[in-house]
Amino acid sequence: MNYFLAKSEPGTYSIDQFAKEKTTTWNGVKNPTAVQFLKKMQPGDTVFFYHSGENPQIVGLAEVVGNSRPDPTEPRSWLVDFKFLKKFETPITLKEIKESGKFKDWRLVYQSRLSTMDVPDNFIEYLKKKKIL
DNA sequence: GCCAACGTTGGC
DNA sequence: GCCAACGTTGGC
């Protein structure tokens, strides 16, 4: 089981909408690097749901259901289905992640524009220690 | 609102 | 195939 992170502008699609809908098709990903990660997602993998924009933070968890696949309506674009798992009572802010100093080699920190990415093991450990996972 | 970083487009 | 110009994203 692998961990990934997917960003969404809450004005476009928020964790609350996701919680209501229970499942969503994650689409619109065209960036080649982001698509690479989408292709690696497999059923059962866990995805951190991240709100970008004002107050950027990880707000919840999703589970990959079904295989990622090309978007039939848009060339070079890929999509994947997510099932809602949970919304964090206390989101993990980007500020906290940066200020901890432990995750400088994570794309979330050094490559802000990337919308879909993997998650380093030491971040998972960090969350387990904090009893968030 | 600004700007850095990066992706895309199109002319050559 | 290169690169300049331009567009987009996302953090601040």
Side-chain angles (χ1 to χ4, degrees):
Chain A
M1 204 272 281
N2 289 303
Y3 290 93
F4 296 91
L5 181 144
K7 294 181 180 178
S8 181
E9 280 273 357
T12 305
Y13 192 75
S14 70
I15 188 82
D16 290 329
Q17 285 171 264
F18 185 31
K20 253 184 236 170
E21 291 177 11
K22 305 292 180 202
T23 60
T24 190
T25 299
W26 201 260
N27 60 9
V29 178
K30 243 196 301 195
N31 173 285
T33 311
V35 167
Q36 272 184 10
F37 291 110
L38 271 199
K39 286 182 180 175
K40 284 186 192 161
M41 289 184 189
Q42 293 184 320
D45 286 347
T46 301
V47 179
F48 291 97
F49 193 107
Y50 179 95
H51 278 174
S52 61
E54 199 178 342
N55 213 359
Q57 53 193 355
I58 299 171
V59 290
L61 293 177
E63 181 184 332
V64 177
V65 288
N67 294 308
S68 69
R69 57 200 183 276
D71 184 338
T73 65
E74 173 106 50
R76 298 194 309 279
S77 180
W78 277 65
L79 45 80
V80 65
D81 293 316
F82 289 161
K83 181 177 81 177
F84 176 78
L85 285 187
K86 72 181 289 183
K87 179 181 173 179
F88 291 135
E89 286 176 28
T90 309
I92 305 130
T93 64
L94 179 62
K95 186 167 181 282
E96 172 185 346
I97 292 166
K98 286 191 164 173
E99 283 178 355
S100 83
K102 294 174 182 166
F103 313 111
K104 285 191 176 129
D105 54 355
W106 188 9
R107 289 177 173 82
L108 185 68
V109 171
Y110 73 82
Q111 200 177 344
S112 64
R113 287 185 55 201
L114 188 64
S115 65
T116 312
M117 66 190 75
D118 52 2
V119 177
D121 291 343
N122 67 338
F123 185 67
I124 303 303
E125 286 164 28
Y126 174 81
L127 294 185
K128 283 180 177 167
K129 266 185 205 156
K130 290 190 68 178
K131 311 275 189 213
I132 292 172
L133 272 184

mmCIF file of all heavy atoms in Angstrom, chain A residues 70-112:
data_model
loop_
_atom_site.group_PDB
_atom_site.id
_atom_site.type_symbol
_atom_site.label_atom_id
_atom_site.label_comp_id
_atom_site.label_asym_id
_atom_site.label_seq_id
_atom_site.Cartn_x
_atom_site.Cartn_y
_atom_site.Cartn_z
ATOM 1 N N PRO A 70 -6.549 6.715 -18.801
ATOM 2 C CA PRO A 70 -6.575 7.948 -19.590
ATOM 3 C C PRO A 70 -7.981 8.540 -19.595
ATOM 4 O O PRO A 70 -8.968 7.806 -19.576
ATOM 5 C CB PRO A 70 -6.198 7.488 -21.001
ATOM 6 C CG PRO A 70 -5.712 6.095 -20.871
ATOM 7 C CD PRO A 70 -6.242 5.526 -19.597
ATOM 8 N N ASP A 71 -8.049 9.846 -19.608
ATOM 9 C CA ASP A 71 -9.327 10.535 -19.710
ATOM 10 C C ASP A 71 -9.775 10.502 -21.171
ATOM 11 O O ASP A 71 -9.115 11.066 -22.034
ATOM 12 C CB ASP A 71 -9.145 11.983 -19.241
ATOM 13 C CG ASP A 71 -10.470 12.750 -19.213
ATOM 14 O OD1 ASP A 71 -11.415 12.343 -19.925
ATOM 15 O OD2 ASP A 71 -10.532 13.752 -18.488
ATOM 16 N N PRO A 72 -10.895 9.832 -21.454
ATOM 17 C CA PRO A 72 -11.310 9.678 -22.855
ATOM 18 C C PRO A 72 -11.688 11.009 -23.513
ATOM 19 O O PRO A 72 -11.702 11.107 -24.734
ATOM 20 C CB PRO A 72 -12.533 8.748 -22.763
ATOM 21 C CG PRO A 72 -13.010 8.854 -21.353
ATOM 22 C CD PRO A 72 -11.810 9.185 -20.516
ATOM 23 N N THR A 73 -11.964 12.019 -22.683
ATOM 24 C CA THR A 73 -12.438 13.289 -23.258
ATOM 25 C C THR A 73 -11.317 14.293 -23.484
ATOM 26 O O THR A 73 -11.533 15.335 -24.086
ATOM 27 C CB THR A 73 -13.490 13.943 -22.341
ATOM 28 O OG1 THR A 73 -12.853 14.306 -21.107
ATOM 29 C CG2 THR A 73 -14.638 12.998 -22.058
ATOM 30 N N GLU A 74 -10.113 13.977 -22.968
ATOM 31 C CA GLU A 74 -9.058 14.998 -23.001
ATOM 32 C C GLU A 74 -7.707 14.344 -23.238
ATOM 33 O O GLU A 74 -7.229 13.587 -22.392
ATOM 34 C CB GLU A 74 -9.067 15.749 -21.669
ATOM 35 C CG GLU A 74 -7.927 16.713 -21.493
ATOM 36 C CD GLU A 74 -8.364 18.150 -21.622
ATOM 37 O OE1 GLU A 74 -9.346 18.523 -20.956
ATOM 38 O OE2 GLU A 74 -7.714 18.889 -22.379
ATOM 39 N N PRO A 75 -7.057 14.645 -24.329
ATOM 40 C CA PRO A 75 -5.757 14.033 -24.625
ATOM 41 C C PRO A 75 -4.722 14.329 -23.534
ATOM 42 O O PRO A 75 -4.721 15.428 -22.985
ATOM 43 C CB PRO A 75 -5.326 14.708 -25.932
ATOM 44 C CG PRO A 75 -6.542 15.345 -26.489
ATOM 45 C CD PRO A 75 -7.471 15.592 -25.350
ATOM 46 N N ARG A 76 -3.867 13.372 -23.252
ATOM 47 C CA ARG A 76 -2.763 13.494 -22.289
ATOM 48 C C ARG A 76 -3.233 13.596 -20.842
ATOM 49 O O ARG A 76 -2.428 13.711 -19.938
ATOM 50 C CB ARG A 76 -1.870 14.697 -22.603
ATOM 51 C CG ARG A 76 -1.189 14.625 -23.963
ATOM 52 C CD ARG A 76 -0.060 15.648 -24.072
ATOM 53 N NE ARG A 76 -0.463 16.993 -23.696
ATOM 54 C CZ ARG A 76 -1.108 17.840 -24.504
ATOM 55 N NH1 ARG A 76 -1.406 17.488 -25.719
ATOM 56 N NH2 ARG A 76 -1.440 19.042 -24.083
ATOM 57 N N SER A 77 -4.533 13.593 -20.621
ATOM 58 C CA SER A 77 -5.053 13.751 -19.282
ATOM 59 C C SER A 77 -5.415 12.394 -18.674
ATOM 60 O O SER A 77 -5.899 11.515 -19.375
ATOM 61 C CB SER A 77 -6.279 14.660 -19.338
ATOM 62 O OG SER A 77 -6.815 14.829 -18.068
ATOM 63 N N TRP A 78 -5.150 12.245 -17.373
ATOM 64 C CA TRP A 78 -5.459 10.985 -16.679
ATOM 65 C C TRP A 78 -6.415 11.220 -15.545
ATOM 66 O O TRP A 78 -6.508 12.331 -15.005
ATOM 67 C CB TRP A 78 -4.180 10.321 -16.146
ATOM 68 C CG TRP A 78 -3.476 9.526 -17.195
ATOM 69 C CD1 TRP A 78 -2.893 10.031 -18.323
ATOM 70 C CD2 TRP A 78 -3.316 8.114 -17.253
ATOM 71 N NE1 TRP A 78 -2.380 9.007 -19.069
ATOM 72 C CE2 TRP A 78 -2.622 7.826 -18.437
ATOM 73 C CE3 TRP A 78 -3.687 7.076 -16.405
ATOM 74 C CZ2 TRP A 78 -2.286 6.531 -18.803
ATOM 75 C CZ3 TRP A 78 -3.351 5.781 -16.763
ATOM 76 C CH2 TRP A 78 -2.652 5.509 -17.958
ATOM 77 N N LEU A 79 -7.123 10.156 -15.170
ATOM 78 C CA LEU A 79 -8.038 10.267 -14.047
ATOM 79 C C LEU A 79 -8.032 8.985 -13.222
ATOM 80 O O LEU A 79 -7.562 7.943 -13.663
ATOM 81 C CB LEU A 79 -9.445 10.604 -14.527
ATOM 82 C CG LEU A 79 -10.033 9.866 -15.728
ATOM 83 C CD1 LEU A 79 -10.552 8.513 -15.320
ATOM 84 C CD2 LEU A 79 -11.153 10.684 -16.348
ATOM 85 N N VAL A 80 -8.589 9.096 -12.010
ATOM 86 C CA VAL A 80 -8.631 7.956 -11.103
ATOM 87 C C VAL A 80 -9.802 8.178 -10.143
ATOM 88 O O VAL A 80 -10.203 9.318 -9.899
ATOM 89 C CB VAL A 80 -7.291 7.824 -10.344
ATOM 90 C CG1 VAL A 80 -7.047 9.001 -9.417
ATOM 91 C CG2 VAL A 80 -7.208 6.515 -9.575
ATOM 92 N N ASP A 81 -10.341 7.086 -9.617
ATOM 93 C CA ASP A 81 -11.471 7.204 -8.699
ATOM 94 C C ASP A 81 -11.011 7.137 -7.252
ATOM 95 O O ASP A 81 -10.211 6.289 -6.884
ATOM 96 C CB ASP A 81 -12.484 6.080 -8.967
ATOM 97 C CG ASP A 81 -13.152 6.243 -10.323
ATOM 98 O OD1 ASP A 81 -13.530 7.381 -10.642
ATOM 99 O OD2 ASP A 81 -13.274 5.249 -11.053
ATOM 100 N N PHE A 82 -11.540 8.048 -6.445
ATOM 101 C CA PHE A 82 -11.245 8.102 -5.013
ATOM 102 C C PHE A 82 -12.508 7.848 -4.205
ATOM 103 O O PHE A 82 -13.588 8.298 -4.585
ATOM 104 C CB PHE A 82 -10.739 9.501 -4.614
ATOM 105 C CG PHE A 82 -9.367 9.856 -5.098
ATOM 106 C CD1 PHE A 82 -8.967 11.197 -5.148
ATOM 107 C CD2 PHE A 82 -8.462 8.881 -5.490
ATOM 108 C CE1 PHE A 82 -7.695 11.550 -5.586
ATOM 109 C CE2 PHE A 82 -7.185 9.233 -5.925
ATOM 110 C CZ PHE A 82 -6.810 10.576 -5.972
ATOM 111 N N LYS A 83 -12.322 7.156 -3.075
ATOM 112 C CA LYS A 83 -13.406 7.002 -2.105
ATOM 113 C C LYS A 83 -13.059 7.826 -0.875
ATOM 114 O O LYS A 83 -11.918 7.795 -0.415
ATOM 115 C CB LYS A 83 -13.535 5.520 -1.728
ATOM 116 C CG LYS A 83 -14.645 5.224 -0.753
ATOM 117 C CD LYS A 83 -14.751 3.723 -0.489
ATOM 118 C CE LYS A 83 -13.707 3.275 0.534
ATOM 119 N NZ LYS A 83 -13.823 1.831 0.858
ATOM 120 N N PHE A 84 -14.025 8.528 -0.346
ATOM 121 C CA PHE A 84 -13.789 9.349 0.845
ATOM 122 C C PHE A 84 -13.508 8.461 2.058
ATOM 123 O O PHE A 84 -14.230 7.497 2.312
ATOM 124 C CB PHE A 84 -15.012 10.222 1.137
ATOM 125 C CG PHE A 84 -14.895 11.032 2.398
ATOM 126 C CD1 PHE A 84 -14.134 12.189 2.421
ATOM 127 C CD2 PHE A 84 -15.530 10.625 3.558
ATOM 128 C CE1 PHE A 84 -14.011 12.935 3.585
ATOM 129 C CE2 PHE A 84 -15.413 11.361 4.733
ATOM 130 C CZ PHE A 84 -14.657 12.517 4.747
ATOM 131 N N LEU A 85 -12.448 8.781 2.799
ATOM 132 C CA LEU A 85 -12.168 8.045 4.027
ATOM 133 C C LEU A 85 -12.453 8.889 5.262
ATOM 134 O O LEU A 85 -13.220 8.522 6.119
ATOM 135 C CB LEU A 85 -10.709 7.573 4.068
ATOM 136 C CG LEU A 85 -10.298 6.393 3.191
ATOM 137 C CD1 LEU A 85 -8.862 6.001 3.518
ATOM 138 C CD2 LEU A 85 -11.223 5.200 3.379
ATOM 139 N N LYS A 86 -11.791 10.034 5.350
ATOM 140 C CA LYS A 86 -12.017 10.868 6.535
ATOM 141 C C LYS A 86 -11.559 12.304 6.318
ATOM 142 O O LYS A 86 -10.738 12.591 5.451
ATOM 143 C CB LYS A 86 -11.315 10.285 7.750
ATOM 144 C CG LYS A 86 -9.799 10.431 7.733
ATOM 145 C CD LYS A 86 -9.174 9.803 8.958
ATOM 146 C CE LYS A 86 -9.470 10.622 10.204
ATOM 147 N NZ LYS A 86 -8.792 10.062 11.412
ATOM 148 N N LYS A 87 -12.137 13.158 7.139
ATOM 149 C CA LYS A 87 -11.703 14.545 7.199
ATOM 150 C C LYS A 87 -11.006 14.723 8.538
ATOM 151 O O LYS A 87 -11.532 14.293 9.572
ATOM 152 C CB LYS A 87 -12.933 15.459 7.112
ATOM 153 C CG LYS A 87 -12.631 16.938 7.189
ATOM 154 C CD LYS A 87 -13.915 17.768 7.132
ATOM 155 C CE LYS A 87 -13.614 19.246 7.371
ATOM 156 N NZ LYS A 87 -14.836 20.072 7.298
ATOM 157 N N PHE A 88 -9.816 15.320 8.514
ATOM 158 C CA PHE A 88 -9.084 15.506 9.763
ATOM 159 C C PHE A 88 -9.747 16.570 10.628
ATOM 160 O O PHE A 88 -10.148 17.620 10.122
ATOM 161 C CB PHE A 88 -7.635 15.932 9.489
ATOM 162 C CG PHE A 88 -6.783 14.857 8.871
ATOM 163 C CD1 PHE A 88 -5.945 15.146 7.802
ATOM 164 C CD2 PHE A 88 -6.806 13.562 9.360
ATOM 165 C CE1 PHE A 88 -5.153 14.163 7.228
ATOM 166 C CE2 PHE A 88 -6.010 12.568 8.796
ATOM 167 C CZ PHE A 88 -5.190 12.873 7.721
ATOM 168 N N GLU A 89 -9.833 16.297 11.924
ATOM 169 C CA GLU A 89 -10.341 17.322 12.843
ATOM 170 C C GLU A 89 -9.361 18.487 12.880
ATOM 171 O O GLU A 89 -9.751 19.640 12.917
ATOM 172 C CB GLU A 89 -10.511 16.742 14.245
ATOM 173 C CG GLU A 89 -11.707 15.816 14.346
ATOM 174 C CD GLU A 89 -11.810 15.154 15.719
ATOM 175 O OE1 GLU A 89 -11.338 15.754 16.708
ATOM 176 O OE2 GLU A 89 -12.348 14.032 15.778
ATOM 177 N N THR A 90 -8.095 18.142 12.885
ATOM 178 C CA THR A 90 -7.055 19.166 12.840
ATOM 179 C C THR A 90 -6.215 18.965 11.585
ATOM 180 O O THR A 90 -5.445 18.016 11.505
ATOM 181 C CB THR A 90 -6.136 19.067 14.077
ATOM 182 O OG1 THR A 90 -6.941 19.051 15.245
ATOM 183 C CG2 THR A 90 -5.177 20.233 14.120
ATOM 184 N N PRO A 91 -6.394 19.831 10.583
ATOM 185 C CA PRO A 91 -5.612 19.680 9.352
ATOM 186 C C PRO A 91 -4.122 19.854 9.623
ATOM 187 O O PRO A 91 -3.735 20.491 10.598
ATOM 188 C CB PRO A 91 -6.131 20.819 8.466
ATOM 189 C CG PRO A 91 -7.419 21.257 9.068
ATOM 190 C CD PRO A 91 -7.311 20.981 10.525
ATOM 191 N N ILE A 92 -3.312 19.275 8.763
ATOM 192 C CA ILE A 92 -1.868 19.443 8.874
ATOM 193 C C ILE A 92 -1.475 20.539 7.898
ATOM 194 O O ILE A 92 -1.573 20.369 6.678
ATOM 195 C CB ILE A 92 -1.150 18.128 8.525
ATOM 196 C CG1 ILE A 92 -1.680 16.993 9.409
ATOM 197 C CG2 ILE A 92 0.357 18.281 8.679
ATOM 198 C CD1 ILE A 92 -2.076 15.771 8.652
ATOM 199 N N THR A 93 -1.073 21.650 8.441
ATOM 200 C CA THR A 93 -0.816 22.804 7.586
ATOM 201 C C THR A 93 0.537 22.699 6.886
ATOM 202 O O THR A 93 1.470 22.076 7.395
ATOM 203 C CB THR A 93 -0.829 24.112 8.406
ATOM 204 O OG1 THR A 93 0.248 24.061 9.354
ATOM 205 C CG2 THR A 93 -2.143 24.294 9.131
ATOM 206 N N LEU A 94 0.607 23.338 5.717
ATOM 207 C CA LEU A 94 1.881 23.416 5.006
ATOM 208 C C LEU A 94 2.919 24.124 5.872
ATOM 209 O O LEU A 94 4.095 23.769 5.861
ATOM 210 C CB LEU A 94 1.685 24.165 3.673
ATOM 211 C CG LEU A 94 2.939 24.341 2.838
ATOM 212 C CD1 LEU A 94 3.511 22.985 2.425
ATOM 213 C CD2 LEU A 94 2.641 25.177 1.593
ATOM 214 N N LYS A 95 2.456 25.108 6.613
ATOM 215 C CA LYS A 95 3.326 25.848 7.521
ATOM 216 C C LYS A 95 4.009 24.893 8.507
ATOM 217 O O LYS A 95 5.225 24.947 8.682
ATOM 218 C CB LYS A 95 2.464 26.864 8.281
ATOM 219 C CG LYS A 95 3.209 27.822 9.164
ATOM 220 C CD LYS A 95 2.263 28.963 9.586
ATOM 221 C CE LYS A 95 2.963 29.989 10.454
ATOM 222 N NZ LYS A 95 3.134 29.530 11.859
ATOM 223 N N GLU A 96 3.209 24.031 9.109
ATOM 224 C CA GLU A 96 3.761 23.053 10.052
ATOM 225 C C GLU A 96 4.775 22.142 9.364
ATOM 226 O O GLU A 96 5.851 21.860 9.902
ATOM 227 C CB GLU A 96 2.613 22.214 10.642
ATOM 228 C CG GLU A 96 3.104 21.034 11.489
ATOM 229 C CD GLU A 96 1.951 20.138 11.982
ATOM 230 O OE1 GLU A 96 0.775 20.546 11.898
ATOM 231 O OE2 GLU A 96 2.253 19.015 12.445
ATOM 232 N N ILE A 97 4.415 21.681 8.159
ATOM 233 C CA ILE A 97 5.293 20.774 7.426
ATOM 234 C C ILE A 97 6.627 21.454 7.116
ATOM 235 O O ILE A 97 7.699 20.877 7.271
ATOM 236 C CB ILE A 97 4.597 20.287 6.144
ATOM 237 C CG1 ILE A 97 3.414 19.380 6.507
ATOM 238 C CG2 ILE A 97 5.585 19.562 5.228
ATOM 239 C CD1 ILE A 97 2.451 19.107 5.372
ATOM 240 N N LYS A 98 6.555 22.719 6.706
ATOM 241 C CA LYS A 98 7.782 23.461 6.390
ATOM 242 C C LYS A 98 8.584 23.755 7.645
ATOM 243 O O LYS A 98 9.809 23.620 7.656
ATOM 244 C CB LYS A 98 7.425 24.773 5.681
ATOM 245 C CG LYS A 98 6.986 24.559 4.251
ATOM 246 C CD LYS A 98 6.905 25.881 3.487
ATOM 247 C CE LYS A 98 6.852 25.605 1.987
ATOM 248 N NZ LYS A 98 6.601 26.826 1.203
ATOM 249 N N GLU A 99 7.887 24.164 8.689
ATOM 250 C CA GLU A 99 8.586 24.592 9.899
ATOM 251 C C GLU A 99 9.246 23.434 10.646
ATOM 252 O O GLU A 99 10.206 23.631 11.374
ATOM 253 C CB GLU A 99 7.628 25.349 10.830
ATOM 254 C CG GLU A 99 7.385 26.778 10.350
ATOM 255 C CD GLU A 99 6.395 27.533 11.233
ATOM 256 O OE1 GLU A 99 5.827 26.922 12.151
ATOM 257 O OE2 GLU A 99 6.201 28.743 10.975
ATOM 258 N N SER A 100 8.722 22.232 10.448
ATOM 259 C CA SER A 100 9.348 21.073 11.095
ATOM 260 C C SER A 100 10.763 20.850 10.570
ATOM 261 O O SER A 100 11.608 20.291 11.257
ATOM 262 C CB SER A 100 8.516 19.819 10.866
ATOM 263 O OG SER A 100 8.824 19.263 9.607
ATOM 264 N N GLY A 101 10.992 21.297 9.321
ATOM 265 C CA GLY A 101 12.319 21.173 8.735
ATOM 266 C C GLY A 101 12.682 19.758 8.313
ATOM 267 O O GLY A 101 13.771 19.512 7.797
ATOM 268 N N LYS A 102 11.771 18.819 8.510
ATOM 269 C CA LYS A 102 12.090 17.413 8.247
ATOM 270 C C LYS A 102 11.797 16.975 6.825
ATOM 271 O O LYS A 102 12.170 15.880 6.416
ATOM 272 C CB LYS A 102 11.268 16.522 9.194
ATOM 273 C CG LYS A 102 11.634 16.671 10.640
ATOM 274 C CD LYS A 102 10.673 15.866 11.512
ATOM 275 C CE LYS A 102 11.018 16.046 12.990
ATOM 276 N NZ LYS A 102 9.924 15.568 13.866
ATOM 277 N N PHE A 103 11.086 17.805 6.095
ATOM 278 C CA PHE A 103 10.570 17.332 4.799
ATOM 279 C C PHE A 103 11.005 18.219 3.642
ATOM 280 O O PHE A 103 10.273 18.408 2.671
ATOM 281 C CB PHE A 103 9.037 17.229 4.870
ATOM 282 C CG PHE A 103 8.561 16.526 6.106
ATOM 283 C CD1 PHE A 103 7.890 17.212 7.105
ATOM 284 C CD2 PHE A 103 8.830 15.171 6.283
ATOM 285 C CE1 PHE A 103 7.463 16.571 8.259
ATOM 286 C CE2 PHE A 103 8.411 14.515 7.441
ATOM 287 C CZ PHE A 103 7.731 15.209 8.426
ATOM 288 N N LYS A 104 12.210 18.743 3.750
ATOM 289 C CA LYS A 104 12.701 19.679 2.739
ATOM 290 C C LYS A 104 12.848 19.033 1.368
ATOM 291 O O LYS A 104 12.819 19.727 0.351
ATOM 292 C CB LYS A 104 14.035 20.263 3.180
ATOM 293 C CG LYS A 104 13.869 21.288 4.272
ATOM 294 C CD LYS A 104 15.164 22.062 4.537
ATOM 295 C CE LYS A 104 14.946 23.160 5.565
ATOM 296 N NZ LYS A 104 15.924 23.136 6.663
ATOM 297 N N ASP A 105 13.030 17.703 1.352
ATOM 298 C CA ASP A 105 13.197 17.034 0.059
ATOM 299 C C ASP A 105 11.883 16.438 -0.448
ATOM 300 O O ASP A 105 11.877 15.588 -1.318
ATOM 301 C CB ASP A 105 14.296 15.966 0.141
ATOM 302 C CG ASP A 105 14.040 14.977 1.268
ATOM 303 O OD1 ASP A 105 13.069 15.163 2.032
ATOM 304 O OD2 ASP A 105 14.815 14.008 1.394
ATOM 305 N N TRP A 106 10.782 16.918 0.112
ATOM 306 C CA TRP A 106 9.457 16.515 -0.380
ATOM 307 C C TRP A 106 8.991 17.539 -1.408
ATOM 308 O O TRP A 106 9.111 18.740 -1.179
ATOM 309 C CB TRP A 106 8.470 16.434 0.797
ATOM 310 C CG TRP A 106 7.131 15.851 0.469
ATOM 311 C CD1 TRP A 106 6.757 15.244 -0.690
ATOM 312 C CD2 TRP A 106 5.981 15.824 1.330
ATOM 313 N NE1 TRP A 106 5.438 14.832 -0.597
ATOM 314 C CE2 TRP A 106 4.951 15.170 0.622
ATOM 315 C CE3 TRP A 106 5.721 16.294 2.637
ATOM 316 C CZ2 TRP A 106 3.676 14.970 1.179
ATOM 317 C CZ3 TRP A 106 4.465 16.089 3.179
ATOM 318 C CH2 TRP A 106 3.452 15.428 2.455
ATOM 319 N N ARG A 107 8.451 17.025 -2.498
ATOM 320 C CA ARG A 107 7.968 17.918 -3.545
ATOM 321 C C ARG A 107 6.940 18.928 -3.049
ATOM 322 O O ARG A 107 6.852 20.033 -3.563
ATOM 323 C CB ARG A 107 7.352 17.099 -4.681
ATOM 324 C CG ARG A 107 8.371 16.336 -5.481
ATOM 325 C CD ARG A 107 7.672 15.498 -6.546
ATOM 326 N NE ARG A 107 8.646 14.873 -7.432
ATOM 327 C CZ ARG A 107 9.294 13.756 -7.135
ATOM 328 N NH1 ARG A 107 9.078 13.152 -5.997
ATOM 329 N NH2 ARG A 107 10.166 13.251 -7.978
ATOM 330 N N LEU A 108 6.172 18.524 -2.067
ATOM 331 C CA LEU A 108 5.176 19.454 -1.514
ATOM 332 C C LEU A 108 5.834 20.752 -1.069
ATOM 333 O O LEU A 108 5.252 21.831 -1.177
ATOM 334 C CB LEU A 108 4.452 18.797 -0.327
ATOM 335 C CG LEU A 108 3.293 19.613 0.267
ATOM 336 C CD1 LEU A 108 2.131 19.713 -0.703
ATOM 337 C CD2 LEU A 108 2.834 19.025 1.590
ATOM 338 N N VAL A 109 7.076 20.623 -0.581
ATOM 339 C CA VAL A 109 7.792 21.777 -0.060
ATOM 340 C C VAL A 109 8.567 22.510 -1.161
ATOM 341 O O VAL A 109 8.521 23.727 -1.253
ATOM 342 C CB VAL A 109 8.742 21.338 1.075
ATOM 343 C CG1 VAL A 109 9.660 22.478 1.495
ATOM 344 C CG2 VAL A 109 7.929 20.821 2.266
ATOM 345 N N TYR A 110 9.255 21.748 -2.018
ATOM 346 C CA TYR A 110 10.146 22.437 -2.959
ATOM 347 C C TYR A 110 9.574 22.595 -4.362
ATOM 348 O O TYR A 110 10.177 23.278 -5.201
ATOM 349 C CB TYR A 110 11.534 21.770 -2.989
ATOM 350 C CG TYR A 110 11.619 20.425 -3.698
ATOM 351 C CD1 TYR A 110 11.733 20.393 -5.092
ATOM 352 C CD2 TYR A 110 11.622 19.228 -3.004
ATOM 353 C CE1 TYR A 110 11.836 19.174 -5.760
ATOM 354 C CE2 TYR A 110 11.719 18.027 -3.652
ATOM 355 C CZ TYR A 110 11.821 17.998 -5.038
ATOM 356 O OH TYR A 110 11.915 16.802 -5.694
ATOM 357 N N GLN A 111 8.449 21.974 -4.639
ATOM 358 C CA GLN A 111 7.874 22.082 -5.987
ATOM 359 C C GLN A 111 6.389 22.388 -5.854
ATOM 360 O O GLN A 111 5.528 21.534 -6.093
ATOM 361 C CB GLN A 111 8.094 20.763 -6.737
ATOM 362 C CG GLN A 111 7.990 20.899 -8.244
ATOM 363 C CD GLN A 111 8.278 19.580 -8.939
ATOM 364 O OE1 GLN A 111 8.825 18.649 -8.342
ATOM 365 N NE2 GLN A 111 7.883 19.481 -10.204
ATOM 366 N N SER A 112 6.105 23.636 -5.490
ATOM 367 C CA SER A 112 4.752 23.970 -5.040
ATOM 368 C C SER A 112 3.679 23.776 -6.108
ATOM 369 O O SER A 112 2.524 23.550 -5.782
ATOM 370 C CB SER A 112 4.718 25.401 -4.532
ATOM 371 O OG SER A 112 4.995 26.294 -5.589
#
